[in-house]
Amino acid sequence: MARESGTASAGAGLSSREVILNAARSLIGEKGYDGMAISDLSSQSGLPPSSIYYHFGNKFGVLAALLERTFEELHALFPNPSSFDDLAPLERLEAWFSAACNSLDRRPDYLRLLVAISVGPHKDAEAVQQIVRRIRDFAHQSWVDALTPIFAPGDGEDAKHLVEELAVLGRAMTDGLSVTNSFDNLSYSSQVGPFVSLIRGLAAQRGVA
C-alpha cells in the first residue's frame, strides 16, 4: 500500500524519479546512507522497488543522482557575489553572506546531506567525489569572489594567497555550521555578524580601506 507521503508527492505533479529522490533525502537524514534500504525507499516513496531499480539501477545510483540534484539546487539557491557589486567591498561581502545564510536557513538539509556523504563510507567512490568536488569548488569560488575586492583588488600574490586561505576557512565554517544548526538549533544567519566582524578586523589590521 502506498504511503501518503509518496501519494501526496505524486499528486503534486512530481515525477516518480523526483519522488524517490525526495524519499532518499529524508531517509539519509534519518538513518544515514548505509541504513537506507531499497525497501525503505519503496515504503517512503510509495513506489515499488522495480521503479527504483528502473530509474537508478541500485542504491548507489540513487545516492549519485541525489548528490547531482543537490548541486543543481545549491547552484540555483545561492546568490552570486556579483549580485552586490553596487556596494562597497565589505558591505558587498556582508550582503552576499547574509543572503547565502538566509538560503541555508530555508533549506538546511542541503549542507547536512553534503557533509554526511562527504565523510561517509562511500566518500572515496569516484562518482561521489566528482559531484562533491563540484559542489565544494563552487562554494570555494564564491568565497574567493566575495573576498577578493576586500583583500586582493590588485595583482599581489600574497593578497591572493590570503584570499584563498580565507575562502577555505569560510567554506569550512559553513560546513561546521550545518552541525551547529542541527545540534544547537542555531541559525546560519546568526553567525553572519561575528564572521563579518572578524573580516572587518583583519581588513583594518592590514590597512584595507
Side-chain angles (χ1 to χ4, degrees), residues 54-202:
Y54 172 78
H55 286 292
F56 303 103
N58 52 38
K59 193 174 78 166
F60 189 77
V62 175
L63 175 62
L66 181 57
L67 278 174
E68 184 68 33
R69 192 182 74 168
T70 298
F71 171 75
E72 293 171 356
E73 290 172 337
L74 280 170
H75 193 280
L77 185 68
F78 268 53
N80 192 300
S82 63
S83 303
F84 307 97
D85 280 351
D86 57 320
L87 300 176
L90 280 164
E91 285 68 33
R92 178 179 182 269
L93 169 69
E94 184 171 8
W96 167 75
F97 191 38
S98 295
C101 285
N102 284 335
S103 298
L104 287 172
D105 282 334
R106 292 197 302 271
R107 292 300 303 269
D109 53 310
Y110 287 155
L111 278 187
R112 290 177 191 168
L113 173 67
L114 180 61
V115 171
I117 292 174
S118 297
V119 299
H122 296 280
K123 64 182 179 64
D124 295 325
E126 184 177 354
V128 171
Q129 283 196 342
Q130 286 180 353
I131 300 171
V132 169
R133 179 52 54 197
R134 284 176 61 197
I135 295 172
R136 296 182 67 74
D137 284 349
F138 169 73
H140 181 85
Q141 188 58 49
S142 294
W143 276 107
V144 169
D145 291 345
L147 291 163
T148 293
I150 302 172
F151 295 105
D155 296 325
E157 289 303 316
D158 287 346
K160 290 181 179 178
H161 181 66
L162 173 64
V163 166
E164 288 289 333
E165 290 182 325
L166 289 175
V168 171
L169 176 63
R171 190 179 62 184
M173 177 186 63
T174 50
D175 287 345
L177 284 177
S178 68
V179 178
T180 299
N181 175 271
S182 180
F183 282 93
D184 301 330
N185 201 31
L186 290 177
S187 69
Y188 291 89
S189 298
S190 68
Q191 303 306 303
V192 171
F195 182 77
V196 172
S197 294
L198 287 174
I199 295 298
R200 287 185 183 276
L202 180 59

Side-chain angles (χ1 to χ4, degrees), residues 22-66:
N22 287 344
R25 171 176 281 157
S26 175
L27 287 168
I28 290 174
E30 294 172 7
K31 300 183 174 185
Y33 175 74
D34 280 352
M36 179 185 72
I38 292 294
S39 58
D40 295 325
L41 271 176
S42 177
S43 177
Q44 181 83 3
S45 65
L47 295 168
S50 59
S51 182
I52 299 168
Y53 290 121
Y54 172 78
H55 286 292
F56 303 103
N58 52 38
K59 193 174 78 166
F60 189 77
V62 175
L63 175 62
L66 181 57

